[in-house]
Amino acid sequence: MFFKPIGSNIIRLNDVYSTNNYAAELLNQTNLPNGTIIVSERQTKGRGQRGSSWESEPGKNITCSIVLYPNISIDQSFEIIMMAALSVYDLLNERDFDPIKMKWPNDVFVRNKKVAGILIENSISKGKIQHSIIGIGLNVNQTSFRNDKAASMLQLSGKEWDLNQLLDQLLNHLNGYYLKVQQKQSLMSLYEEKTLGWQKNRTYITDSGREFVGKIVGYSADGGVKILSEEETKNYQFKEVQFVI
Ligand code: BTN
């Protein structure tokens, strides 16, 4: 047995604007133990990537944030993203969801529907991650979404799922991958083959609106993606390119 820091301190809330914001505020006021998790039944202002909002009906889904002090440099920041995405992947895989794809950097799709989203906010000083707030939203028992690209585990399987059991197992997976990250074992080879567009042609759009077809041939340790198109192989950062889905 190994010590499982993630989830060793659990803060349960009924109502909060965003578990990520709440975690950041707590960190400003106090020293939270490594691996503290904040779970809320309801978020009134759940946040997504690229300034979007995160839709989640009260009591139906998992919305949580984990605080870590991972002691790694910013060049390794992608390990944290992969750790979260792989944990969600495993959770779904164990329950026979298929096919599951992670969409770079950290969305999780089942049969082309987004089941989970991850929002990681790092505080950086002297080239190192001081703390990382890992926000995870997993759609579990919700039966309809405004966003037609989203779906829940219930919608995809026809079954209701126990939120506490799912959270426990999510924490187990996170602890397992976190141990690897601490031991400096990269998660890259586990991650890349499970990603959408890996070695397969797809359409992308750049931040300047240029559409092109290419295949993902690599990810970089700092979180970039390497796409091979007819003209070139190019590295992109998160804001520079998006999938056309
Ligand atoms: C995405 O846009 O895909 C990321 C969504 C992240 C949602 C989670 S829910 C818990 C945590 N708190 C937030 O406000 N956002 C994240």
PDB file of all heavy atoms in Angstrom, residues 202-215 225-237 239-244:
ATOM      1  N   ARG A 202      -7.346  14.528 -39.497  1.00  0.00           N
ATOM      2  CA  ARG A 202      -8.569  15.227 -39.082  1.00  0.00           C
ATOM      3  C   ARG A 202      -8.437  16.683 -39.503  1.00  0.00           C
ATOM      4  O   ARG A 202      -7.350  17.130 -39.854  1.00  0.00           O
ATOM      5  CB  ARG A 202      -8.713  15.203 -37.551  1.00  0.00           C
ATOM      6  CG  ARG A 202      -9.018  13.863 -36.962  1.00  0.00           C
ATOM      7  CD  ARG A 202      -9.451  14.037 -35.523  1.00  0.00           C
ATOM      8  NE  ARG A 202     -10.729  14.731 -35.431  1.00  0.00           N
ATOM      9  CZ  ARG A 202     -11.888  14.115 -35.316  1.00  0.00           C
ATOM     10  NH1 ARG A 202     -11.951  12.817 -35.263  1.00  0.00           N
ATOM     11  NH2 ARG A 202     -13.011  14.797 -35.224  1.00  0.00           N
ATOM     12  N   THR A 203      -9.554  17.416 -39.379  1.00  0.00           N
ATOM     13  CA  THR A 203      -9.495  18.833 -39.738  1.00  0.00           C
ATOM     14  C   THR A 203      -9.280  19.685 -38.488  1.00  0.00           C
ATOM     15  O   THR A 203      -9.900  19.442 -37.456  1.00  0.00           O
ATOM     16  CB  THR A 203     -10.801  19.254 -40.445  1.00  0.00           C
ATOM     17  OG1 THR A 203     -11.033  18.343 -41.511  1.00  0.00           O
ATOM     18  CG2 THR A 203     -10.704  20.663 -41.006  1.00  0.00           C
ATOM     19  N   TYR A 204      -8.412  20.674 -38.624  1.00  0.00           N
ATOM     20  CA  TYR A 204      -8.103  21.597 -37.518  1.00  0.00           C
ATOM     21  C   TYR A 204      -8.334  23.022 -37.984  1.00  0.00           C
ATOM     22  O   TYR A 204      -8.329  23.296 -39.179  1.00  0.00           O
ATOM     23  CB  TYR A 204      -6.627  21.440 -37.095  1.00  0.00           C
ATOM     24  CG  TYR A 204      -6.362  20.076 -36.515  1.00  0.00           C
ATOM     25  CD1 TYR A 204      -6.023  19.002 -37.343  1.00  0.00           C
ATOM     26  CD2 TYR A 204      -6.504  19.835 -35.161  1.00  0.00           C
ATOM     27  CE1 TYR A 204      -5.830  17.734 -36.831  1.00  0.00           C
ATOM     28  CE2 TYR A 204      -6.317  18.575 -34.626  1.00  0.00           C
ATOM     29  CZ  TYR A 204      -5.974  17.525 -35.471  1.00  0.00           C
ATOM     30  OH  TYR A 204      -5.805  16.271 -34.952  1.00  0.00           O
ATOM     31  N   ILE A 205      -8.527  23.912 -37.024  1.00  0.00           N
ATOM     32  CA  ILE A 205      -8.625  25.328 -37.375  1.00  0.00           C
ATOM     33  C   ILE A 205      -7.691  26.124 -36.459  1.00  0.00           C
ATOM     34  O   ILE A 205      -7.643  25.886 -35.250  1.00  0.00           O
ATOM     35  CB  ILE A 205     -10.095  25.835 -37.307  1.00  0.00           C
ATOM     36  CG1 ILE A 205     -10.196  27.277 -37.779  1.00  0.00           C
ATOM     37  CG2 ILE A 205     -10.701  25.683 -35.919  1.00  0.00           C
ATOM     38  CD1 ILE A 205     -11.603  27.736 -38.110  1.00  0.00           C
ATOM     39  N   THR A 206      -6.928  27.019 -37.072  1.00  0.00           N
ATOM     40  CA  THR A 206      -5.970  27.798 -36.271  1.00  0.00           C
ATOM     41  C   THR A 206      -6.678  29.028 -35.698  1.00  0.00           C
ATOM     42  O   THR A 206      -7.791  29.371 -36.106  1.00  0.00           O
ATOM     43  CB  THR A 206      -4.787  28.283 -37.130  1.00  0.00           C
ATOM     44  OG1 THR A 206      -5.309  29.191 -38.102  1.00  0.00           O
ATOM     45  CG2 THR A 206      -4.075  27.124 -37.805  1.00  0.00           C
ATOM     46  N   ASP A 207      -6.004  29.712 -34.772  1.00  0.00           N
ATOM     47  CA  ASP A 207      -6.607  30.904 -34.162  1.00  0.00           C
ATOM     48  C   ASP A 207      -6.822  32.008 -35.190  1.00  0.00           C
ATOM     49  O   ASP A 207      -7.637  32.899 -34.997  1.00  0.00           O
ATOM     50  CB  ASP A 207      -5.769  31.403 -32.967  1.00  0.00           C
ATOM     51  CG  ASP A 207      -4.312  31.583 -33.314  1.00  0.00           C
ATOM     52  OD1 ASP A 207      -3.911  31.234 -34.443  1.00  0.00           O
ATOM     53  OD2 ASP A 207      -3.559  32.079 -32.457  1.00  0.00           O
ATOM     54  N   SER A 208      -6.123  31.930 -36.354  1.00  0.00           N
ATOM     55  CA  SER A 208      -6.357  32.947 -37.385  1.00  0.00           C
ATOM     56  C   SER A 208      -7.425  32.493 -38.385  1.00  0.00           C
ATOM     57  O   SER A 208      -7.657  33.142 -39.406  1.00  0.00           O
ATOM     58  CB  SER A 208      -5.043  33.272 -38.103  1.00  0.00           C
ATOM     59  OG  SER A 208      -4.528  32.088 -38.656  1.00  0.00           O
ATOM     60  N   GLY A 209      -8.059  31.336 -38.123  1.00  0.00           N
ATOM     61  CA  GLY A 209      -9.183  30.907 -38.960  1.00  0.00           C
ATOM     62  C   GLY A 209      -8.795  30.015 -40.123  1.00  0.00           C
ATOM     63  O   GLY A 209      -9.643  29.660 -40.937  1.00  0.00           O
ATOM     64  N   ARG A 210      -7.535  29.608 -40.218  1.00  0.00           N
ATOM     65  CA  ARG A 210      -7.119  28.734 -41.331  1.00  0.00           C
ATOM     66  C   ARG A 210      -7.472  27.281 -41.014  1.00  0.00           C
ATOM     67  O   ARG A 210      -7.100  26.769 -39.965  1.00  0.00           O
ATOM     68  CB  ARG A 210      -5.600  28.865 -41.552  1.00  0.00           C
ATOM     69  CG  ARG A 210      -5.061  28.027 -42.710  1.00  0.00           C
ATOM     70  CD  ARG A 210      -3.566  28.248 -42.897  1.00  0.00           C
ATOM     71  NE  ARG A 210      -2.765  27.698 -41.822  1.00  0.00           N
ATOM     72  CZ  ARG A 210      -2.267  26.454 -41.795  1.00  0.00           C
ATOM     73  NH1 ARG A 210      -2.484  25.630 -42.810  1.00  0.00           N
ATOM     74  NH2 ARG A 210      -1.533  26.026 -40.777  1.00  0.00           N
ATOM     75  N   GLU A 211      -8.214  26.634 -41.911  1.00  0.00           N
ATOM     76  CA  GLU A 211      -8.531  25.219 -41.712  1.00  0.00           C
ATOM     77  C   GLU A 211      -7.518  24.371 -42.456  1.00  0.00           C
ATOM     78  O   GLU A 211      -7.102  24.716 -43.562  1.00  0.00           O
ATOM     79  CB  GLU A 211      -9.944  24.896 -42.248  1.00  0.00           C
ATOM     80  CG  GLU A 211     -11.028  25.346 -41.321  1.00  0.00           C
ATOM     81  CD  GLU A 211     -12.358  24.613 -41.517  1.00  0.00           C
ATOM     82  OE1 GLU A 211     -12.389  23.526 -42.120  1.00  0.00           O
ATOM     83  OE2 GLU A 211     -13.373  25.157 -41.036  1.00  0.00           O
ATOM     84  N   PHE A 212      -7.131  23.275 -41.872  1.00  0.00           N
ATOM     85  CA  PHE A 212      -6.207  22.373 -42.568  1.00  0.00           C
ATOM     86  C   PHE A 212      -6.424  20.945 -42.073  1.00  0.00           C
ATOM     87  O   PHE A 212      -6.978  20.711 -41.001  1.00  0.00           O
ATOM     88  CB  PHE A 212      -4.750  22.795 -42.370  1.00  0.00           C
ATOM     89  CG  PHE A 212      -4.259  22.663 -40.944  1.00  0.00           C
ATOM     90  CD1 PHE A 212      -3.547  21.533 -40.548  1.00  0.00           C
ATOM     91  CD2 PHE A 212      -4.514  23.646 -40.005  1.00  0.00           C
ATOM     92  CE1 PHE A 212      -3.100  21.399 -39.234  1.00  0.00           C
ATOM     93  CE2 PHE A 212      -4.071  23.523 -38.697  1.00  0.00           C
ATOM     94  CZ  PHE A 212      -3.364  22.398 -38.302  1.00  0.00           C
ATOM     95  N   VAL A 213      -5.955  20.001 -42.877  1.00  0.00           N
ATOM     96  CA  VAL A 213      -6.052  18.588 -42.488  1.00  0.00           C
ATOM     97  C   VAL A 213      -4.673  18.129 -42.049  1.00  0.00           C
ATOM     98  O   VAL A 213      -3.663  18.457 -42.684  1.00  0.00           O
ATOM     99  CB  VAL A 213      -6.550  17.737 -43.684  1.00  0.00           C
ATOM    100  CG1 VAL A 213      -6.507  16.247 -43.352  1.00  0.00           C
ATOM    101  CG2 VAL A 213      -7.972  18.146 -44.057  1.00  0.00           C
ATOM    102  N   GLY A 214      -4.631  17.411 -40.950  1.00  0.00           N
ATOM    103  CA  GLY A 214      -3.341  16.921 -40.482  1.00  0.00           C
ATOM    104  C   GLY A 214      -3.537  15.821 -39.464  1.00  0.00           C
ATOM    105  O   GLY A 214      -4.658  15.543 -39.046  1.00  0.00           O
ATOM    106  N   LYS A 215      -2.408  15.204 -39.100  1.00  0.00           N
ATOM    107  CA  LYS A 215      -2.527  14.186 -38.044  1.00  0.00           C
ATOM    108  C   LYS A 215      -1.582  14.514 -36.906  1.00  0.00           C
ATOM    109  O   LYS A 215      -0.483  15.055 -37.129  1.00  0.00           O
ATOM    110  CB  LYS A 215      -2.310  12.790 -38.593  1.00  0.00           C
ATOM    111  CG  LYS A 215      -0.965  12.504 -39.176  1.00  0.00           C
ATOM    112  CD  LYS A 215      -0.949  11.055 -39.676  1.00  0.00           C
ATOM    113  CE  LYS A 215       0.329  10.780 -40.455  1.00  0.00           C
ATOM    114  NZ  LYS A 215       0.327   9.492 -41.107  1.00  0.00           N
ATOM    115  N   VAL A 225       0.930  20.505 -29.019  1.00  0.00           N
ATOM    116  CA  VAL A 225       0.613  19.383 -29.903  1.00  0.00           C
ATOM    117  C   VAL A 225       1.405  19.552 -31.196  1.00  0.00           C
ATOM    118  O   VAL A 225       1.601  20.671 -31.673  1.00  0.00           O
ATOM    119  CB  VAL A 225      -0.919  19.314 -30.182  1.00  0.00           C
ATOM    120  CG1 VAL A 225      -1.426  20.536 -30.936  1.00  0.00           C
ATOM    121  CG2 VAL A 225      -1.309  18.062 -30.924  1.00  0.00           C
ATOM    122  N   LYS A 226       1.866  18.425 -31.744  1.00  0.00           N
ATOM    123  CA  LYS A 226       2.634  18.478 -32.983  1.00  0.00           C
ATOM    124  C   LYS A 226       1.772  17.866 -34.072  1.00  0.00           C
ATOM    125  O   LYS A 226       1.387  16.690 -33.977  1.00  0.00           O
ATOM    126  CB  LYS A 226       3.911  17.657 -32.805  1.00  0.00           C
ATOM    127  CG  LYS A 226       4.950  17.923 -33.879  1.00  0.00           C
ATOM    128  CD  LYS A 226       6.113  16.985 -33.747  1.00  0.00           C
ATOM    129  CE  LYS A 226       7.089  17.449 -32.665  1.00  0.00           C
ATOM    130  NZ  LYS A 226       8.256  16.541 -32.587  1.00  0.00           N
ATOM    131  N   ILE A 227       1.425  18.700 -35.093  1.00  0.00           N
ATOM    132  CA  ILE A 227       0.524  18.209 -36.145  1.00  0.00           C
ATOM    133  C   ILE A 227       1.258  18.188 -37.485  1.00  0.00           C
ATOM    134  O   ILE A 227       1.870  19.182 -37.896  1.00  0.00           O
ATOM    135  CB  ILE A 227      -0.747  19.086 -36.237  1.00  0.00           C
ATOM    136  CG1 ILE A 227      -1.459  19.140 -34.875  1.00  0.00           C
ATOM    137  CG2 ILE A 227      -1.706  18.531 -37.292  1.00  0.00           C
ATOM    138  CD1 ILE A 227      -2.695  20.022 -34.836  1.00  0.00           C
ATOM    139  N   LEU A 228       1.175  17.034 -38.139  1.00  0.00           N
ATOM    140  CA  LEU A 228       1.791  16.869 -39.456  1.00  0.00           C
ATOM    141  C   LEU A 228       0.714  17.081 -40.514  1.00  0.00           C
ATOM    142  O   LEU A 228      -0.285  16.364 -40.564  1.00  0.00           O
ATOM    143  CB  LEU A 228       2.375  15.453 -39.558  1.00  0.00           C
ATOM    144  CG  LEU A 228       2.815  14.961 -40.933  1.00  0.00           C
ATOM    145  CD1 LEU A 228       4.046  15.733 -41.417  1.00  0.00           C
ATOM    146  CD2 LEU A 228       3.138  13.471 -40.882  1.00  0.00           C
ATOM    147  N   SER A 229       0.921  18.120 -41.341  1.00  0.00           N
ATOM    148  CA  SER A 229      -0.034  18.353 -42.438  1.00  0.00           C
ATOM    149  C   SER A 229       0.729  18.180 -43.746  1.00  0.00           C
ATOM    150  O   SER A 229       1.920  17.877 -43.732  1.00  0.00           O
ATOM    151  CB  SER A 229      -0.628  19.755 -42.335  1.00  0.00           C
ATOM    152  OG  SER A 229       0.380  20.705 -42.587  1.00  0.00           O
ATOM    153  N   GLU A 230       0.038  18.402 -44.864  1.00  0.00           N
ATOM    154  CA  GLU A 230       0.708  18.230 -46.160  1.00  0.00           C
ATOM    155  C   GLU A 230       1.949  19.103 -46.266  1.00  0.00           C
ATOM    156  O   GLU A 230       2.969  18.716 -46.793  1.00  0.00           O
ATOM    157  CB  GLU A 230      -0.261  18.608 -47.273  1.00  0.00           C
ATOM    158  CG  GLU A 230      -0.910  17.395 -47.861  1.00  0.00           C
ATOM    159  CD  GLU A 230      -1.794  17.726 -49.036  1.00  0.00           C
ATOM    160  OE1 GLU A 230      -1.778  18.884 -49.524  1.00  0.00           O
ATOM    161  OE2 GLU A 230      -2.511  16.809 -49.460  1.00  0.00           O
ATOM    162  N   GLU A 231       1.831  20.332 -45.746  1.00  0.00           N
ATOM    163  CA  GLU A 231       2.917  21.290 -45.930  1.00  0.00           C
ATOM    164  C   GLU A 231       4.057  21.137 -44.933  1.00  0.00           C
ATOM    165  O   GLU A 231       5.200  21.342 -45.252  1.00  0.00           O
ATOM    166  CB  GLU A 231       2.417  22.736 -45.816  1.00  0.00           C
ATOM    167  CG  GLU A 231       1.249  23.118 -46.691  1.00  0.00           C
ATOM    168  CD  GLU A 231      -0.060  23.167 -45.927  1.00  0.00           C
ATOM    169  OE1 GLU A 231      -0.148  23.955 -44.982  1.00  0.00           O
ATOM    170  OE2 GLU A 231      -0.983  22.406 -46.269  1.00  0.00           O
ATOM    171  N   GLU A 232       3.704  20.780 -43.694  1.00  0.00           N
ATOM    172  CA  GLU A 232       4.738  20.882 -42.655  1.00  0.00           C
ATOM    173  C   GLU A 232       4.357  20.099 -41.402  1.00  0.00           C
ATOM    174  O   GLU A 232       3.224  19.662 -41.247  1.00  0.00           O
ATOM    175  CB  GLU A 232       4.906  22.355 -42.258  1.00  0.00           C
ATOM    176  CG  GLU A 232       3.578  22.920 -41.766  1.00  0.00           C
ATOM    177  CD  GLU A 232       3.566  24.406 -41.494  1.00  0.00           C
ATOM    178  OE1 GLU A 232       4.630  25.030 -41.457  1.00  0.00           O
ATOM    179  OE2 GLU A 232       2.459  24.921 -41.298  1.00  0.00           O
ATOM    180  N   THR A 233       5.320  19.982 -40.476  1.00  0.00           N
ATOM    181  CA  THR A 233       5.004  19.507 -39.123  1.00  0.00           C
ATOM    182  C   THR A 233       5.171  20.712 -38.225  1.00  0.00           C
ATOM    183  O   THR A 233       6.208  21.367 -38.233  1.00  0.00           O
ATOM    184  CB  THR A 233       5.995  18.416 -38.672  1.00  0.00           C
ATOM    185  OG1 THR A 233       5.946  17.364 -39.590  1.00  0.00           O
ATOM    186  CG2 THR A 233       5.627  17.892 -37.296  1.00  0.00           C
ATOM    187  N   LYS A 234       4.130  21.023 -37.467  1.00  0.00           N
ATOM    188  CA  LYS A 234       4.178  22.245 -36.680  1.00  0.00           C
ATOM    189  C   LYS A 234       3.685  22.005 -35.258  1.00  0.00           C
ATOM    190  O   LYS A 234       2.764  21.221 -35.046  1.00  0.00           O
ATOM    191  CB  LYS A 234       3.299  23.301 -37.363  1.00  0.00           C
ATOM    192  CG  LYS A 234       3.720  24.698 -37.035  1.00  0.00           C
ATOM    193  CD  LYS A 234       2.990  25.740 -37.825  1.00  0.00           C
ATOM    194  CE  LYS A 234       3.121  27.019 -37.011  1.00  0.00           C
ATOM    195  NZ  LYS A 234       2.199  28.036 -37.313  1.00  0.00           N
ATOM    196  N   ASN A 235       4.318  22.713 -34.318  1.00  0.00           N
ATOM    197  CA  ASN A 235       3.883  22.664 -32.912  1.00  0.00           C
ATOM    198  C   ASN A 235       2.878  23.762 -32.645  1.00  0.00           C
ATOM    199  O   ASN A 235       3.086  24.900 -33.066  1.00  0.00           O
ATOM    200  CB  ASN A 235       5.081  22.909 -31.993  1.00  0.00           C
ATOM    201  CG  ASN A 235       5.914  21.672 -31.871  1.00  0.00           C
ATOM    202  OD1 ASN A 235       5.404  20.609 -31.544  1.00  0.00           O
ATOM    203  ND2 ASN A 235       7.195  21.802 -32.164  1.00  0.00           N
ATOM    204  N   TYR A 236       1.823  23.427 -31.943  1.00  0.00           N
ATOM    205  CA  TYR A 236       0.821  24.431 -31.570  1.00  0.00           C
ATOM    206  C   TYR A 236       0.610  24.386 -30.072  1.00  0.00           C
ATOM    207  O   TYR A 236       0.631  23.316 -29.467  1.00  0.00           O
ATOM    208  CB  TYR A 236      -0.525  24.142 -32.242  1.00  0.00           C
ATOM    209  CG  TYR A 236      -0.496  24.179 -33.746  1.00  0.00           C
ATOM    210  CD1 TYR A 236      -0.189  23.034 -34.473  1.00  0.00           C
ATOM    211  CD2 TYR A 236      -0.783  25.352 -34.439  1.00  0.00           C
ATOM    212  CE1 TYR A 236      -0.168  23.057 -35.857  1.00  0.00           C
ATOM    213  CE2 TYR A 236      -0.769  25.374 -35.827  1.00  0.00           C
ATOM    214  CZ  TYR A 236      -0.460  24.233 -36.525  1.00  0.00           C
ATOM    215  OH  TYR A 236      -0.439  24.246 -37.898  1.00  0.00           O
ATOM    216  N   GLN A 237       0.336  25.536 -29.496  1.00  0.00           N
ATOM    217  CA  GLN A 237      -0.073  25.584 -28.098  1.00  0.00           C
ATOM    218  C   GLN A 237      -1.603  25.616 -28.048  1.00  0.00           C
ATOM    219  O   GLN A 237      -2.266  25.811 -29.067  1.00  0.00           O
ATOM    220  CB  GLN A 237       0.541  26.800 -27.383  1.00  0.00           C
ATOM    221  CG  GLN A 237       2.060  26.696 -27.188  1.00  0.00           C
ATOM    222  CD  GLN A 237       2.486  25.465 -26.378  1.00  0.00           C
ATOM    223  OE1 GLN A 237       1.848  25.103 -25.399  1.00  0.00           O
ATOM    224  NE2 GLN A 237       3.559  24.804 -26.818  1.00  0.00           N
ATOM    225  N   LYS A 239      -4.050  27.626 -27.290  1.00  0.00           N
ATOM    226  CA  LYS A 239      -4.917  28.664 -27.869  1.00  0.00           C
ATOM    227  C   LYS A 239      -4.736  28.795 -29.379  1.00  0.00           C
ATOM    228  O   LYS A 239      -5.484  29.490 -30.043  1.00  0.00           O
ATOM    229  CB  LYS A 239      -4.631  30.005 -27.186  1.00  0.00           C
ATOM    230  CG  LYS A 239      -5.022  29.977 -25.717  1.00  0.00           C
ATOM    231  CD  LYS A 239      -5.390  31.350 -25.203  1.00  0.00           C
ATOM    232  CE  LYS A 239      -6.124  31.258 -23.886  1.00  0.00           C
ATOM    233  NZ  LYS A 239      -5.250  30.939 -22.746  1.00  0.00           N
ATOM    234  N   GLU A 240      -3.745  28.098 -29.934  1.00  0.00           N
ATOM    235  CA  GLU A 240      -3.405  28.330 -31.341  1.00  0.00           C
ATOM    236  C   GLU A 240      -4.154  27.441 -32.330  1.00  0.00           C
ATOM    237  O   GLU A 240      -4.200  27.742 -33.515  1.00  0.00           O
ATOM    238  CB  GLU A 240      -1.894  28.126 -31.542  1.00  0.00           C
ATOM    239  CG  GLU A 240      -1.071  29.139 -30.773  1.00  0.00           C
ATOM    240  CD  GLU A 240       0.408  28.844 -30.791  1.00  0.00           C
ATOM    241  OE1 GLU A 240       0.811  27.700 -31.086  1.00  0.00           O
ATOM    242  OE2 GLU A 240       1.177  29.767 -30.502  1.00  0.00           O
ATOM    243  N   VAL A 241      -4.703  26.336 -31.855  1.00  0.00           N
ATOM    244  CA  VAL A 241      -5.372  25.426 -32.796  1.00  0.00           C
ATOM    245  C   VAL A 241      -6.513  24.685 -32.085  1.00  0.00           C
ATOM    246  O   VAL A 241      -6.460  24.452 -30.880  1.00  0.00           O
ATOM    247  CB  VAL A 241      -4.344  24.429 -33.390  1.00  0.00           C
ATOM    248  CG1 VAL A 241      -3.927  23.366 -32.398  1.00  0.00           C
ATOM    249  CG2 VAL A 241      -4.854  23.760 -34.653  1.00  0.00           C
ATOM    250  N   GLN A 242      -7.553  24.369 -32.857  1.00  0.00           N
ATOM    251  CA  GLN A 242      -8.680  23.593 -32.310  1.00  0.00           C
ATOM    252  C   GLN A 242      -9.104  22.531 -33.300  1.00  0.00           C
ATOM    253  O   GLN A 242      -8.925  22.712 -34.501  1.00  0.00           O
ATOM    254  CB  GLN A 242      -9.901  24.517 -32.107  1.00  0.00           C
ATOM    255  CG  GLN A 242      -9.803  25.396 -30.904  1.00  0.00           C
ATOM    256  CD  GLN A 242     -11.125  26.108 -30.660  1.00  0.00           C
ATOM    257  OE1 GLN A 242     -12.172  25.478 -30.507  1.00  0.00           O
ATOM    258  NE2 GLN A 242     -11.094  27.427 -30.634  1.00  0.00           N
ATOM    259  N   PHE A 243      -9.694  21.479 -32.784  1.00  0.00           N
ATOM    260  CA  PHE A 243     -10.279  20.460 -33.650  1.00  0.00           C
ATOM    261  C   PHE A 243     -11.527  21.037 -34.293  1.00  0.00           C
ATOM    262  O   PHE A 243     -12.248  21.814 -33.659  1.00  0.00           O
ATOM    263  CB  PHE A 243     -10.746  19.247 -32.839  1.00  0.00           C
ATOM    264  CG  PHE A 243      -9.653  18.389 -32.306  1.00  0.00           C
ATOM    265  CD1 PHE A 243      -8.925  18.779 -31.192  1.00  0.00           C
ATOM    266  CD2 PHE A 243      -9.359  17.176 -32.901  1.00  0.00           C
ATOM    267  CE1 PHE A 243      -7.922  17.963 -30.684  1.00  0.00           C
ATOM    268  CE2 PHE A 243      -8.374  16.359 -32.396  1.00  0.00           C
ATOM    269  CZ  PHE A 243      -7.646  16.758 -31.289  1.00  0.00           C
ATOM    270  N   VAL A 244     -11.822  20.638 -35.519  1.00  0.00           N
ATOM    271  CA  VAL A 244     -13.146  20.922 -36.079  1.00  0.00           C
ATOM    272  C   VAL A 244     -13.919  19.632 -35.887  1.00  0.00           C
ATOM    273  O   VAL A 244     -13.572  18.600 -36.451  1.00  0.00           O
ATOM    274  CB  VAL A 244     -13.058  21.284 -37.578  1.00  0.00           C
ATOM    275  CG1 VAL A 244     -14.436  21.482 -38.171  1.00  0.00           C
ATOM    276  CG2 VAL A 244     -12.182  22.500 -37.780  1.00  0.00           C
TER     277      VAL A 244
END
